[in-house]
Amino acid sequence: MDFLTNPFIVIMLFLYRIFANNYVLALVVFTVLVKLVTYPLTAQQMKSSLKMQAVAPKLKKIQEKYKDDREKLAQAQMALYKAEGVNPMAGCFPLIIQMPVLFGLYGAIQHTLTTTQPAIIDLAGRLQVAPDLAQLFPLQNQFLWLNLGTPDPTPILPILVMATTWLQTKLMTPPATDPKDPSAAISRNMLIMMPLMIGFFSVSFASGLSIYWIISNLAGIGQYAFMGRINWRTLSARPMALATPIEDDEPVVTKSKASEQKRIAAPRTASANNGANANNIALSARTPGAGPAPKDRPRITARKRK
Amino acid sequence: MTVYAKIGFRPRHLWLGAAFLFLLAVLAACSPIPGEGWANYTVSGQYIYVSYKETIFRVDLKTQPNPASEIAPDWGAITPNKTHIYAAPALSAKGDLYVGAFDRKMWMFSPFGGGNRAERNAGFDAPTETDKFIGGALVNDALGLVYAPMGDKGLKAYDITTGKLVASYTDMKFGVWSTPVFDPANNVLYVAAKDHSVYALDPRSLAKLWSVDVEASMTSMPLLANDKLYVGTLGNGLAVVDLRSRSFETFKPAEIGWISATPLLDEGILYFGDLRGQIWAVEAATLTRKWVAKEPESKNLPITGKVAIAVSNHPEALVENKPGRVVIAASESKQIHAYRIDTGAHVWGQQAEEKINSDLFIFGDDVVFTTLSDNQLLTGYNVNTAQRSFTVKKPSEDFLKGLANGAAPKQAEIVTATPAMAEATAEVTAAATASK
């Protein structure tokens, strides 16, 4: 990953110099820049998720119809995807492309916060294209109570890592309308396991890396909010039945009259989303949308497709 | 209904699971470095004390190698909790060893003292510091102090018998990764720090006397000679600090890399390697380049250790059919090469088993150094034939415990750094002897 790590190291050091040798500020700006640069990919991922969610009820019907015939099931699924113009893999590709960027940034942070002689020697080789940056070393690695090059001696950062990871995942994953759906169970488990796992790892990470993770989570939330995809109600939402029945061949994409945001009602038989989470690399792309509307919202209407 | 359908498995779950496992693998791979370094050593006459990972041991270089060209240590110890050591051990006049470790404590070992020689000296109990030790310690026998460079900030001095903190200087922005240098002529302790400054401290109180900012970080031990300090920097070439005027100048050609090694001064010429794999010969008085050399088929891999100078009768080294002097340097390319001292022309090269990061030194006809290979941890190559003379493997814990249960090793002949230090040491030793 040196082809990404090395230029990222140079960029980080330039930002560090610009922002008066403030490593955390440079880190914030760099993370935001990375989010901006990868925004087209994130938007594409979101778009793909919306499409997938739209066809989910039809997909479900097909799966029930051909549950005993895998060949016909596959054919029907492909036909549906073709008819609706959906590529089920499209949500994954942006994530796959973003992953090297994340690793490169991760490596840049790790290499600039050198704590051993071998690390210094390794860094020397990476800065040959910009040797004048060498005089910035060593970097100011103190931030509040933290030494950015060593793990946090307190549990504060790991807790923040877990909390922001959970928050981002929760906001981007709508509550399942059918709690009995097995994929809903998986999503619920992911919502718990992913933050715990990442928080556990962050105990042994350099503080700078943990701070990057927190910033990235918050930036991801901000990005989704900017795209109008955040529904804060999902923080307390529970699974609900659909407000209206869905007939065959009727799509479930709806538009709310109440706000300028596009809201997508969870289809009655929709399985829980694998909420897109650019920071948690793992997840594929089905968009979170608004949960089932509360009683005092405008009624959900269906629009027949031609 | 298929099994997968019964359990609610979907193809996207496969992606989810695979991606999650991948994330775990990546996160596990990206975990912090567990304190690996390279083997460092201290030489005392015919004895060499090597510290590597959790092991510290001694080798008598006058031991005849067995048929397999291996030499076994005659003493060794394991650090408490097997914490890793990064720095070279410091040796006192009594033969005690002091070394800082990654567990943020300095430990003392007494190969000739009573008790379990395979373990640390329990009578020495230095405090736990805030960061690991990277720079090597320095013993001042006359004052009864051992100077300990702090990994995060400053320098401290412990009592060499009890480990009690006696003095400290921590008014630095960053740590000290180099070994301090004591100037007995002026009674000053010099420290090259990561915060771009060379500090002159009082050796007893560690009070700051003065400092000079050389505009780049330093991680190597300075060379004290001719009332000057010669020290490699990370980004500003070789810095030369004049101790009388307290000013500095640099040797910094455009192509020079970061310097992580202590220079060697020989007949007015400074010799050192840089992290771009170049070996430099520079006139000390004028700071002008004499020559620069590179390994044949160089991959520009770093030279991190001090070079050595030897007399060689290799055909390429001869001067008027007589043995000529060569400069020997080793790098992370796993290779060691000799160059004519007058021109820098290549004389011979040899391949070792692993990367070579340590300083080189000459013992008899051999150039001795350490590698990162446990099977060739300490090794010597003949300066005339370039052939390997001996190898010392990393000793096992069981082997070292066996040594501890046997006869005590021979008392080392202590070779101190300067004549003044030797006089001071002799006084201390004589006083101690008289008091018994």
Side-chain angles (χ1 to χ4, degrees):
Chain A
M1 207 60 68
D2 285 354
F3 69 96
L4 277 177
T5 300
N6 291 350
F8 280 9
I9 288 173
V10 174
I11 295 170
M12 268 296 294
L13 293 178
F14 269 124
L15 290 173
Y16 176 83
R17 183 157 62 182
I18 289 171
F19 290 105
N21 295 2
N22 187 321
Y23 192 89
V24 173
L25 191 53
L27 194 54
V28 170
V29 171
F30 196 10
T31 306
V32 171
L33 285 175
V34 168
K35 290 288 186 187
L36 287 175
V37 167
T38 57
Y39 177 78
L41 292 173
T42 309
Q44 183 187 348
Q45 181 186 341
M46 180 71 67
K47 200 174 167 184
S48 172
S49 300
L50 288 173
K51 284 187 180 179
M52 280 299 294
Q53 193 167 10
V55 302
K58 294 184 181 178
L59 194 62
K60 183 81 175 178
K61 286 186 180 297
I62 290 171
Q63 287 167 349
E64 286 178 0
K65 187 174 177 183
Y66 297 110
K67 60 187 177 186
D68 295 324
D69 189 336
R70 293 177 67 182
E71 189 178 342
K72 283 192 179 175
L73 172 62
Q75 288 173 353
Q77 281 179 332
M78 290 307 298
L80 174 65
Y81 290 145
K82 196 174 177 182
E84 299 289 342
V86 170
N87 181 352
M89 300 299 294
C92 297
F93 289 142
L95 277 174
I96 291 171
I97 292 170
Q98 287 179 60
M99 272 159 46
V101 174
L102 285 167
F103 293 156
L105 182 56
Y106 194 88
I109 293 169
Q110 213 170 19
H111 283 99
T112 49
L113 295 175
T114 57
T115 57
T116 62
Q117 276 273 33
I120 284 275
I121 294 164
D122 176 77
L123 185 63
R126 297 173 186 274
L127 284 181
Q128 293 200 25
V129 295
D132 59 319
L133 294 175
Q135 289 171 310
L136 291 172
F137 283 90
L139 304 186
Q140 295 281 353
N141 59 0
Q142 291 296 323
F143 177 69
L144 301 178
W145 72 94
L146 298 166
N147 178 335
L148 296 175
T150 58
D152 183 1
T154 72
I156 297 173
L157 270 193
I159 290 172
L160 285 174
V161 166
M162 279 193 286
T164 54
T165 305
W166 177 86
L167 184 65
Q168 185 183 26
T169 308
K170 182 72 175 173
L171 286 173
M172 293 171 184
T173 305
T177 54
D178 181 4
K180 293 179 184 176
D181 188 339
S183 58
I186 292 174
S187 290
R188 282 196 298 272
N189 288 337
M190 286 296 295
L191 187 60
I192 296 170
M193 291 307 299
M194 182 68 81
L196 280 176
M197 195 66 64
I198 293 176
F200 175 75
F201 281 122
S202 72
V203 169
S204 56
F205 285 167
S207 304
L209 291 169
S210 297
I211 289 176
Y212 153 70
W213 201 266
I214 294 166
I215 296 168
S216 188
N217 285 339
L218 296 174
I221 293 170
Q223 195 173 41
Y224 272 67
F226 176 76
M227 292 162 66
R229 299 297 169 210
I230 289 284
N231 182 1
W232 298 100
R233 290 178 184 159
T234 59
L235 285 177
S236 58
R238 292 178 184 179
M240 292 174 56
L242 280 182
T244 54
I246 297 173
E247 298 182 9
D248 285 346
D249 300 326
E250 284 192 344
V252 295
V253 177
T254 62
K255 292 186 179 178
S256 165
K257 295 178 183 177
S259 74
E260 60 191 18
Q261 289 184 353
K262 290 183 183 178
R263 289 189 170 199
I264 300 168
R268 176 173 58 185
T269 57
S271 53
N273 289 288
N274 304 327
N277 183 337
N279 199 42
N280 297 334
I281 305 165
L283 307 180
S284 60
R286 277 241 259 161
T287 317
K295 291 180 183 177
D296 57 348
R297 285 195 195 170
R299 294 280 294 172
I300 297 168
T301 57
R303 178 171 55 88
K304 285 189 180 181
R305 274 200 182 184
K306 294 181 182 178
Chain B
M1 181 183 284
T2 64
V3 172
Y4 298 129
K6 282 180 184 174
I7 63 173
F9 180 80
R10 300 286 183 273
R12 61 180 177 275
H13 299 160
L14 182 61
W15 282 104
L16 189 67
F20 181 63
L21 287 174
F22 180 70
L23 172 65
L24 287 182
V26 166
L27 290 176
C30 291
S31 55
I33 299 170
E36 287 298 330
W38 56 75
N40 284 287
Y41 61 81
T42 296
V43 179
S44 174
Q46 71 196 59
Y47 300 104
I48 180 169
Y49 297 84
V50 180
S51 57
Y52 182 55
K53 293 184 179 178
E54 76 284 357
T55 307
I56 182 168
F57 61 91
R58 187 182 89 160
V59 173
D60 180 354
L61 292 174
K62 286 190 174 176
T63 303
Q64 291 299 314
N66 64 27
S69 298
E70 286 183 22
I71 300 177
D74 64 357
W75 169 82
I78 302 290
T79 56
N81 300 316
K82 298 188 180 178
T83 182
H84 282 199
I85 304 167
Y86 192 88
L91 192 61
S92 74
K94 287 173 57 182
D96 296 320
L97 293 157
Y98 300 85
V99 62
F102 266 65
D103 64 353
R104 299 173 287 137
K105 280 181 76 79
M106 175 153 289
W107 302 104
M108 173 187 174
F109 298 90
S110 300
F112 315 108
N116 188 340
R117 292 193 294 273
E119 295 178 355
R120 61 112 167 177
N121 186 319
F124 183 92
D125 187 20
T128 303
E129 301 296 344
T130 50
D131 199 359
K132 55 186 176 289
F133 289 89
I134 296 180
L138 177 71
V139 174
N140 186 326
D141 289 291
L143 295 177
L145 297 174
V146 54
Y147 303 112
M150 297 290 114
D152 58 347
K153 200 178 289 190
L155 183 82
K156 295 188 179 178
Y158 305 125
D159 182 278
I160 59 170
T161 304
T162 64
K164 180 184 169 185
L165 179 66
V166 174
S168 68
Y169 178 76
T170 55
D171 189 15
M172 295 183 192
K173 293 178 184 176
F174 296 96
V176 177
W177 285 14
S178 62
T179 303
V181 174
F182 178 63
D183 180 2
N186 298 300
N187 197 35
V188 177
L189 185 71
Y190 297 109
V191 179
K194 279 177 68 183
D195 67 355
H196 300 196
S197 291
V198 172
Y199 292 88
L201 306 176
D202 180 275
R204 188 182 295 272
S205 65
L206 295 188
K208 175 183 163 184
L209 302 174
W210 51 267
S211 66
V212 172
D213 185 339
V214 301
E215 299 173 4
S217 193
M218 293 163 284
T219 58
S220 56
M221 180 179 176
L223 168 69
L224 173 64
N226 308 324
D227 278 333
K228 292 181 181 178
L229 277 180
Y230 302 89
V231 58
T233 72
L234 305 186
N236 205 21
L238 182 76
V240 182
V241 179
D242 189 310
L243 302 179
R244 282 176 289 187
S245 64
R246 300 173 189 178
S247 61
F248 83 100
E249 54 184 329
T250 60
F251 171 75
K252 191 188 173 187
E255 66 271 36
I256 199 167
W258 294 11
I259 304 169
S260 180
T262 302
L264 177 67
L265 180 64
D266 180 87
E267 296 180 358
I269 307 294
L270 292 160
Y271 302 92
F272 57 91
D274 68 18
L275 297 188
R276 288 186 181 176
Q278 301 170 119
I279 303 101
W280 296 85
V282 176
E283 304 243 357
T286 58
L287 290 187
T288 52
R289 177 195 319 205
K290 187 179 176 188
W291 52 258
V292 58
K294 269 193 172 185
E295 290 178 1
E297 300 174 5
S298 172
K299 299 175 186 174
N300 298 329
L301 291 175
I303 296 172
T304 56
K306 191 175 179 179
V307 302
I309 293 175
V311 176
S312 172
N313 60 20
H314 189 280
E316 298 293 328
L318 297 179
V319 177
E320 297 176 355
N321 291 324
K322 292 179 183 174
R325 303 178 77 217
V326 294
V327 176
I328 305 172
S331 73
E332 288 200 349
S333 67
K334 308 180 190 179
Q335 296 178 8
I336 180 165
H337 292 266
Y339 309 85
R340 288 178 64 104
I341 200 169
D342 50 354
T343 61
H346 186 257
V347 173
W348 57 254
Q350 186 55 271
Q351 182 85 17
E353 287 187 18
E354 252 304 341
K355 292 181 185 178
I356 305 163
N357 290 114
S358 74
D359 293 345
L360 311 183
F361 79 98
I362 303 298
F363 187 82
D365 283 337
D366 295 330
V367 54
V368 182
F369 53 92
T370 63
T371 77
L372 293 186
S373 167
D374 285 5
N375 286 329
Q376 194 187 18
L377 185 58
L378 180 71
T379 188
Y381 283 75
N382 188 285
V383 300
N384 303 308
T385 63
Q387 298 305 306
R388 183 156 59 178
S389 301
F390 70 88
T391 297
V392 178
K393 292 183 180 179
K394 179 174 179 286
S396 67
E397 185 174 353
D398 289 339
F399 177 83
L400 296 179
K401 285 179 178 173
L403 281 181
N405 293 331
K410 288 172 61 178
Q411 184 81 19
E413 296 169 10
I414 305 301
V415 176
T416 49
T418 64
M421 223 22 176
E423 286 175 15
T425 305
E427 286 175 12
V428 170
T429 306
T433 305
S435 66
K436 287 183 181 174

